[in-house]
Amino acid sequence: MTGGVVKSKGTVTIAIETCKGCDLCIPACPPRVLEMSSAVNHLGYHYPELLDGCTGCAACLLVCPDFVFEVFREARPPAATASA
Amino acid sequence: MKLVGQQKPELLLTETHHMCPGCGEPLALRGYLEAIQELGLGQRTIAVAGIGCYTSFSMTTDLDLVQALHGRAPSVATGVKRMKPDSVVFTLQGDGDMVNEGLQEVLHTAARGEAITCILLNNGVFGETGGHMTATTVLGQRTKNTLDGREAGYHGYPILIGDLLAQLEGATYVARGSVHNAGAVARTKRMFKRAFQTQVDGGFSFVEVLTMCPTGWFIPTAEGPDYMSATLGEVHIMGELKADGVVKSTEELHEENVRKAAEMEQALARGGIDP
Amino acid sequence: MKLMEGSEAIAEASIAAGCRFFAGYPMTPFTELLEHFAKRLPEEGGVCINAESELEAAGMAWGALATGARAATGSTGQGLSLMQETFSEITLAELPLVIFNMARGGQDYYQSTRGGGHGDYRHIVLAPMDIGEAVELTQLAFHLADKWRNPVLVYGDYLLAHIQEAVDIAPVGFDPLPEKDWAVDGSLGGSGQSRLVSPLGFGKAGQPSPGIERHLRAISAKHEAMAASEVRVETGGVEDAETVVVAFGSPGKFVRYVVKQLQSEGEKIGYVRPITLWPFPYEAVGSAADGAQRVGVFEMCAGQMIDDVRLGVLGRAPVSGIGGISTDGSGFGVGPLLDAELIRERVLALHRDEPMPPLPDNERIM
């Protein structure tokens, strides 16, 4: 692994119909794994979609005004593997 | 995988609300509701809400709640606490409510050392009525009646209410948080916890939270956090203004803010501050 | 029996009625009422706060009421002026506030009955004529406030506040009242059934609520029911009166005395003494005016209750004011017009269709 940093693994659920498209989660995500959709929800807003690499840090949940996210994290970070 | 962040706080009846996109107030709402829950205070808390955009939370907060008038929450909270001294009582007010209409109420309540917690949602404008200047609007800030920016000579100077309250003997814990990024949100929640603990221990506590109001500021939602740091955040300085009997200077607060922001960033990069 | 000034008697009567919270701001001639509460409430396990302003006093009472306590505030008219928004909204929040006006003179009739606040709201207004009646009406005030979940105002004055009488604060028995199942104590947090005490007509998500329009209409309907059942009035000699005099409060006692004296001299004069200023005894005034030749209104102001008297009389007889503005040199107290001889002169002038004597002047002190 580069830099010797072991990152935890996580995921989020996204309540896309609740989102109001404010974009605050996008830059808030440290690994930058959220991007706004091209589709819109029933309110007409774009909403975030999750790419690979979520660490479960919950920054998105902290900055989201609309209670869109639920965040999960692995209990222990995965063991380091030979490949990096 | 374990759940590290619930979608909504347990003390919130529904995640649906009608705050504008990019509004900072729900971030503060999550902070204090989770703080109350985690301290085990949910079944002894009585909230007293003022009038502003946040008034709609009175309908969705699962706490016993008394709706007060604009500016008047601290006196109502005083009456509640005196009759129910074992309860935890807090006010929820905006800057127009607390620092304009209700300035004497919060000052008197703090001076008296009432064992309540006053929470201020400060976005530097009257949000609900369309974005006019309040007593906390900073110099240079554009609002509906200061379109070219607040000017001291014509509009006077802002009142830094957190700093003012920190000077009062009766105020035990005075803090100013902010919700402009994840680290600040997490720090603010810790301030809420300390504030409620201060009340349980018998003192007056105050938590001001700088919140984004892109609608009232006439800016796109994504620019809210940076705009706030550059305007309100430069004048109303984040930090624990008064704690453990010590009033901190602006320099001390600045130093701490830089240090803590870096800590928070690192924690997030490593994979999380538990929210 | 104990010799007490009116302020003390009212405070004791409040405590006998279960009042355990009071907040107020010093202002003549109300200050002594606050002093008595400040001394006595802590002795009874209650709370009295010397609030930093009248506005805050009313707010503090609001909070105390929301927890289900019996609570009161008060001032003189000028101080109550500062509380008007709160009074309007407390009425909409359906909280049982008792308000004491220890008025400067008798010029707060409009403020008490019309309200200086905004919106369609009504308070029951009780106007005791002396300390004995004040002790009963104060206890009644707390009962009616809880019965209707509505503020009740007790309208006194300098004389009532400061005169001393031998009083017996016997607790009055009232019908039992339902539990306050709307009051908050924090215990319902997180249950999904937490309570909201609010003037605004909306409730918690997931619980039914009327919305602002239905809420306002329901309160108005409640006020109509109050008006239909809570009128209190005292009359004397009105059945065959040629002249009827209407007066309330301390002046009401003086007028009653004068009219009874004149009746014993054979004069066909009657009196109507409203005890509730709201709901106003329109019917009693109307039937007193039936067959009378004239109606006089004795009040210590430029003429406020006379509007309600005219509404009650509804043209049956001419209505005129026989009182006027009269106050002592300080402006806080009792004017020289509150004098049995002078009132007798004025009632007789009315009765004989003679010109009204001029108003007495007070002694200037500044």
Side-chain angles (χ1 to χ4, degrees):
Chain A
M1 283 203 178
T2 48
V5 175
V6 178
K7 291 188 183 154
S8 55
K9 194 173 144 99
T11 190
V12 301
T13 62
I14 300 173
I16 64 178
E17 295 301 333
T18 314
C19 175
K20 292 187 189 130
C22 73
D23 288 334
L24 290 179
C25 55
I26 308 300
C29 172
R32 303 305 285 249
V33 296
L34 289 170
E35 67 179 22
M36 293 306 263
S37 63
S38 38
V40 294
N41 65 16
H42 82 286
L43 293 171
Y45 294 113
H46 300 287
Y47 49 83
E49 292 177 317
L50 187 68
L51 308 171
D52 282 337
C54 173
T55 61
C57 77
C60 54
L61 177 147
L62 288 170
V63 302
C64 172
D66 291 287
F67 306 102
V68 167
F69 297 97
E70 222 177 10
V71 182
F72 299 86
R73 192 187 302 156
E74 269 194 5
R76 264 189 287 274
T81 52
S83 62
Chain B
M1 295 245 188
K2 69 170 176 142
L3 180 71
V4 293
Q6 280 185 305
Q7 189 184 358
K8 68 168 179 64
E10 280 175 46
L11 292 174
L12 192 61
L13 291 166
T14 169
E15 63 271 14
T16 306
H17 64 69
H18 301 294
M19 299 300 111
C20 301
C23 172
E25 296 190 344
L27 307 183
L29 171 73
R30 181 197 282 274
Y32 64 77
L33 289 183
E34 286 180 354
I36 290 168
Q37 183 74 17
E38 288 165 25
L39 290 172
L41 301 174
Q43 281 71 54
R44 53 187 270 222
T45 297
I46 302 172
V48 182
I51 300 286
C53 296
Y54 51 90
T55 302
S56 63
F57 297 152
S58 299
M59 295 183 279
T60 60
T61 299
D62 195 11
L63 291 172
D64 283 343
L65 194 147
V66 184
Q67 181 61 57
L69 302 177
H70 194 64
R72 312 281 155 243
S75 59
V76 175
T78 297
V80 172
K81 182 78 187 204
R82 293 294 190 101
M83 299 311 280
K84 295 285 177 195
D86 294 332
S87 63
V88 169
V89 180
F90 71 89
T91 71
L92 182 68
Q93 308 172 254
D95 46 302
D97 181 305
M98 181 189 275
V99 193
N100 280 53
E101 193 74 62
L103 184 60
Q104 73 178 99
E105 299 228 352
V106 69
L107 287 177
H108 288 142
T109 305
R112 251 184 278 121
E114 290 299 329
I116 68 169
T117 302
C118 286
I119 297 177
L120 169 62
L121 303 175
N122 186 2
N123 56 19
V125 288
F126 283 105
E128 197 182 5
T129 44
H132 298 82
M133 181 183 94
T134 71
T136 66
T137 303
V138 302
L139 295 179
Q141 189 180 339
R142 176 187 62 192
T143 69
K144 219 168 200 175
N145 53 336
T146 62
L147 289 172
D148 296 324
R150 181 173 190 164
E151 247 186 275
Y154 192 79
H155 305 111
Y157 297 87
I159 293 177
L160 279 49
I161 185 67
D163 303 62
L164 207 55
L165 289 173
Q167 306 304 316
L168 297 176
E169 208 61 44
T172 302
Y173 179 77
V174 179
R176 185 183 284 120
S178 178
V179 295
H180 61 284
N181 65 29
V185 171
R187 245 185 107 187
T188 302
K189 180 171 162 180
R190 290 175 194 172
M191 291 173 179
F192 282 129
K193 281 185 153 166
R194 283 201 73 177
F196 288 122
Q197 190 57 51
T198 299
Q199 176 175 165
V200 168
D201 297 336
F204 172 87
S205 57
F206 173 81
V207 181
E208 175 176 344
V209 186
L210 301 182
T211 59
M212 293 80 70
C213 180
T215 305
W217 295 343
F218 310 102
I219 59 167
T221 57
E223 290 174 23
D226 286 343
Y227 184 93
M228 183 162 80
S229 301
T231 57
L232 290 175
E234 287 288 316
V235 174
H236 301 277
I237 308 299
M238 191 174 173
E240 291 185 318
L241 306 175
K242 180 177 187 182
D244 305 313
V246 174
V247 178
K248 296 213 177 98
S249 69
T250 308
E251 292 73 39
E252 286 172 299
L253 293 172
H254 267 305
E255 261 180 45
E256 246 183 31
N257 288 344
V258 169
R259 191 172 39 89
K260 293 214 160 154
E263 271 172 31
M264 293 290 172
E265 242 186 80
Q266 283 165 25
L268 286 168
R270 270 197 305 273
I273 316 162
D274 280 320
Chain C
M1 277 259 166
K2 191 183 162 202
L3 191 67
M4 283 189 195
E5 68 172 7
S7 305
E8 186 181 355
I10 288 172
E12 290 300 336
S14 300
I15 289 170
C19 175
R20 290 296 176 267
F21 182 91
F22 191 83
Y25 187 93
M27 196 164 187
T28 308
F30 155 83
T31 308
E32 287 75 15
L33 184 57
L34 174 60
E35 283 178 5
H36 287 296
F37 274 119
K39 174 169 184 289
R40 288 285 291 125
L41 274 172
E43 293 170 1
E44 301 291 331
V47 174
C48 180
I49 306 182
N50 277 31
E52 292 85 349
S53 69
E54 286 87 348
L55 187 46
E56 286 159 274
M60 293 171 186
W62 184 323
L65 291 166
T67 67
R70 281 197 163 175
T73 186
S75 184
T76 191
Q78 284 81 340
L80 296 184
S81 291
L82 299 176
M83 303 182 187
Q84 296 295 313
E85 183 198 26
T86 292
F87 289 164
S88 296
E89 298 283 335
I90 265 189
T91 309
L92 296 184
E94 299 196 81
L95 290 172
L97 176 66
V98 172
I99 303 161
F100 294 102
N101 182 1
M102 304 316 274
R104 296 175 176 180
Q107 298 168 294
D108 298 333
Y109 184 92
Y110 278 161
Q111 184 195 66
S112 308
T113 58
R114 273 35 177 189
H118 56 281
D120 282 316
Y121 73 105
R122 300 284 184 267
H123 295 163
I124 295 177
V125 181
L126 302 171
M129 67 173 177
D130 60 19
I131 295 179
E133 196 171 54
V135 166
E136 284 172 30
L137 292 181
T138 293
Q139 295 181 67
L140 178 64
F142 285 97
H143 174 75
L144 291 178
D146 273 347
K147 174 181 172 186
W148 293 104
R149 286 189 62 186
N150 200 89
V152 176
L153 186 144
V154 178
Y155 188 170
D157 62 15
Y158 187 101
L159 194 66
L160 184 69
H162 294 116
I163 215 169
Q164 293 196 8
E165 277 182 27
V167 205
D168 185 8
I169 314 285
V172 178
F174 294 104
D175 288 337
L177 292 166
E179 285 289 306
K180 294 185 181 180
D181 61 359
W182 45 266
V184 294
D185 63 3
S187 63
L188 292 173
S191 68
Q193 297 298 312
S194 52
R195 293 179 179 163
L196 175 59
V197 176
S198 168
L200 303 175
F202 53 72
K204 293 282 177 113
Q207 293 179 40
S209 69
I212 185 72
E213 186 181 66
R214 283 205 200 112
H215 180 62
L216 294 178
R217 287 181 182 168
I219 290 178
S220 266
K222 180 172 75 169
H223 291 150
E224 280 179 36
M226 285 158 68
S229 60
E230 300 295 352
V231 174
R232 285 164 175 78
V233 61
E234 187 201 342
T235 63
V238 295
E239 302 74 19
D240 59 349
E242 289 165 12
T243 299
V244 174
V245 186
V246 188
F248 73 89
S250 304
K253 186 164 187 176
F254 278 70
V255 163
R256 187 174 80 147
Y257 170 81
V258 159
V259 167
K260 284 188 169 175
Q261 194 182 61
L262 290 168
Q263 281 169 357
S264 71
E265 295 164 19
E267 302 286 3
K268 296 253 176 280
I269 304 179
Y271 71 87
V272 177
R273 185 175 72 85
I275 299 173
T276 50
L277 301 183
W278 193 92
F280 188 79
Y282 294 111
E283 267 189 51
V285 166
S287 48
D290 251 335
Q293 289 167 32
R294 61 192 76 74
V295 177
V297 182
F298 182 82
E299 48 182 339
M300 311 272 286
C301 68
Q304 297 182 17
M305 182 178 63
I306 194 168
D307 290 0
D308 279 331
V309 174
R310 287 201 170 106
L311 281 174
V313 170
L314 225 53
R316 290 175 181 89
V319 178
S320 60
I322 64 168
I325 294 172
S326 176
T327 186
D328 72 344
S330 70
F332 301 151
V334 185
L337 180 58
L338 198 63
D339 175 299
E341 288 297 316
L342 294 179
I343 293 172
R344 185 194 151 94
E345 251 182 31
R346 299 176 85 77
V347 171
L348 277 174
L350 170 74
H351 186 54
R352 293 167 183 165
D353 293 318
E354 283 164 9
M356 203 51 59
L359 288 171
D361 294 330
N362 68 8
E363 245 181 72
R364 295 281 301 271
I365 60 170
M366 49 187 170

